[in-house]
């Protein structure tokens, strides 16, 4: 693999558009750095795919981001973090370049959740792939073994966001159904983790049907804070992150479609380039 040894942007990868909420949260806290966002929109969604397929797709994306000059890549995708991160960290990075790093979005949430819950009962709302992987449960129990974790998959929530129906009356049914389901599963839940990067766009509906006293935990701000702390602790990596305050967007899908979706997530126009993986 040919890689650029000079300083470069921080890479943000997602299978689709939800990672834009992670990028937004990071840029709010760390606007000084350059960022390179890559969405594998042509092969999304990753949620229903097997571990092997998700790993291979994610591996291709990370490799491309490294080739484009990134020294640090954030998997802004819960499915990729659940199904591919560990293998890439343990198997691929030593072969590619031991000085480069790949981080996910599940660990930062697990780190803070023990400080947020009082009842020690936590709920996870996520895609089917993330729930079936049990990655949140495993990561939380590594740090907080006393916490009870319950998870529910929300298969219709991502299409609601991507078809710009998050504010529609029809969204109420699907949001209420899953919140009622997880609260029946464990009525003592006092923290609800949004384990998919699309879900913050459904926040008004989620808050509408959530019982009083239950805290919603979106990922963006916690991933951003975790990244800030990581860069402070790892100066060699931090020094390889270029500082120009710019963002470049890449997609494996039609650029025009990406621009339309990015408007939903970022509320601002973006320029995007097409790229091929695999």
């Amino acid at each position: 693999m040919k890689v650029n040894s000079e300083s470069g942007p921080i890479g943000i990868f997602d299978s689709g558009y939800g990672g834009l909420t992670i990028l937004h949260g990071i840029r709010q806290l760390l606007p000084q750095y350059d960022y390179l966002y890559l969405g594998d929109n042509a092969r999304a969604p990753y949620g229903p795919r097997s571990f092997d397929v998700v790993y291979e797709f994610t591996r291709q994306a990370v490799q491309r981001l490294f080739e484009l000059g990134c020294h640090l890549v954030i998997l802004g995708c819960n499915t990729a973090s659940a199904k591919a991160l560990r293998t890439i960290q343990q198997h691929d990075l030593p072969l590619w370049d031991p000085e480069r790093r790949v981080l996910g979005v599940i660990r930062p949430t697990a780190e803070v959740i023990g400080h947020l819950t009082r009842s020690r009962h936590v709920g996870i709302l996520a895609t089917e792939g993330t729930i079936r992987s049990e990655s949140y449960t495993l990561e939380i129990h590594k740090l907080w073994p006393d916490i009870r974790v319950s998870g529910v998959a929300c298969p219709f929530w991502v299409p609601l966001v991507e078809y710009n129906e998050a504010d529609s009356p029809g969204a109420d049914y699907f949001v209420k159904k899953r919140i009622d389901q997880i609260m029946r599963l464990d009525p003592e839940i006092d923290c609800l983790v949004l384990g998919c990067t699309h879900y913050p766009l459904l926040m008004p509906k989620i808050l509408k049907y959530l019982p009083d006293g239950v805290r919603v935990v979106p990922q963006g701000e916690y991933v951003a804070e975790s990244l800030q702390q990581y860069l402070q602790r790892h100066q060699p990596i931090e020094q390889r992150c270029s500082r120009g305050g710019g963002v470049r967007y890449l997609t494996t899908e039609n650029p025009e479609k990406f621009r339309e979706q990015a408007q939903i997530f970022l509320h601002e126009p973006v320029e995007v380039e097409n790229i091929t993986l695999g």
Side-chain angles (χ1 to χ4, degrees), residues 70 146 157 199 206 240 275:
C70 299
D146 62 313
W157 286 22
Y199 294 178
I206 294 169
R240 296 189 188 104
I275 194 171

CSV table of all heavy atoms in Angstrom, one decimal, residues 70 146 157 199 206 240 275:
chain,number,residue,atom,x,y,z
A,70,CYS,N,-4.4,10.2,5.1
A,70,CYS,CA,-4.8,10.2,6.5
A,70,CYS,C,-3.9,9.4,7.4
A,70,CYS,O,-3.5,8.3,7.0
A,70,CYS,CB,-6.3,9.7,6.6
A,70,CYS,SG,-7.5,10.6,5.7
A,146,ASP,N,-21.3,-3.9,36.2
A,146,ASP,CA,-22.5,-3.9,37.0
A,146,ASP,C,-23.7,-3.4,36.2
A,146,ASP,O,-24.9,-3.5,36.7
A,146,ASP,CB,-22.4,-3.0,38.3
A,146,ASP,CG,-22.1,-1.6,37.9
A,146,ASP,OD1,-21.2,-1.3,37.1
A,146,ASP,OD2,-22.7,-0.7,38.5
A,157,TRP,N,-35.8,3.2,11.1
A,157,TRP,CA,-35.4,4.5,11.5
A,157,TRP,C,-34.5,5.2,10.5
A,157,TRP,O,-34.6,6.4,10.2
A,157,TRP,CB,-34.8,4.5,12.9
A,157,TRP,CG,-35.8,4.4,14.0
A,157,TRP,CD1,-37.1,3.8,13.9
A,157,TRP,CD2,-35.6,4.8,15.4
A,157,TRP,NE1,-37.7,3.9,15.2
A,157,TRP,CE2,-36.8,4.4,16.1
A,157,TRP,CE3,-34.6,5.4,16.1
A,157,TRP,CZ2,-37.0,4.7,17.4
A,157,TRP,CZ3,-34.8,5.6,17.5
A,157,TRP,CH2,-36.0,5.3,18.1
A,199,TYR,N,-29.8,8.4,14.0
A,199,TYR,CA,-30.9,8.6,15.0
A,199,TYR,C,-31.0,10.0,15.6
A,199,TYR,O,-32.1,10.4,16.0
A,199,TYR,CB,-30.8,7.5,16.1
A,199,TYR,CG,-31.0,6.1,15.6
A,199,TYR,CD1,-30.9,5.0,16.5
A,199,TYR,CD2,-31.3,5.8,14.3
A,199,TYR,CE1,-31.1,3.7,16.0
A,199,TYR,CE2,-31.5,4.5,13.8
A,199,TYR,CZ,-31.4,3.5,14.7
A,199,TYR,OH,-31.6,2.2,14.3
A,206,ILE,N,-38.1,11.2,19.4
A,206,ILE,CA,-37.6,10.4,20.5
A,206,ILE,C,-37.9,11.0,21.9
A,206,ILE,O,-38.5,10.3,22.8
A,206,ILE,CB,-36.1,10.1,20.4
A,206,ILE,CG1,-35.8,9.3,19.1
A,206,ILE,CG2,-35.5,9.4,21.6
A,206,ILE,CD1,-34.3,9.2,18.8
A,240,ARG,N,0.7,14.8,13.1
A,240,ARG,CA,0.5,14.4,11.7
A,240,ARG,C,-0.8,14.8,11.1
A,240,ARG,O,-1.1,14.5,9.9
A,240,ARG,CB,0.7,12.9,11.5
A,240,ARG,CG,2.1,12.4,11.9
A,240,ARG,CD,2.3,10.9,11.5
A,240,ARG,NE,3.5,10.4,12.1
A,240,ARG,CZ,3.6,9.6,13.1
A,240,ARG,NH1,2.5,9.2,13.8
A,240,ARG,NH2,4.8,9.2,13.5
A,275,ILE,N,-15.8,8.3,-5.9
A,275,ILE,CA,-14.6,7.5,-5.7
A,275,ILE,C,-15.1,6.0,-5.8
A,275,ILE,O,-16.2,5.7,-5.5
A,275,ILE,CB,-14.0,7.7,-4.3
A,275,ILE,CG1,-12.6,7.1,-4.3
A,275,ILE,CG2,-14.8,7.3,-3.2
A,275,ILE,CD1,-11.8,7.5,-3.0
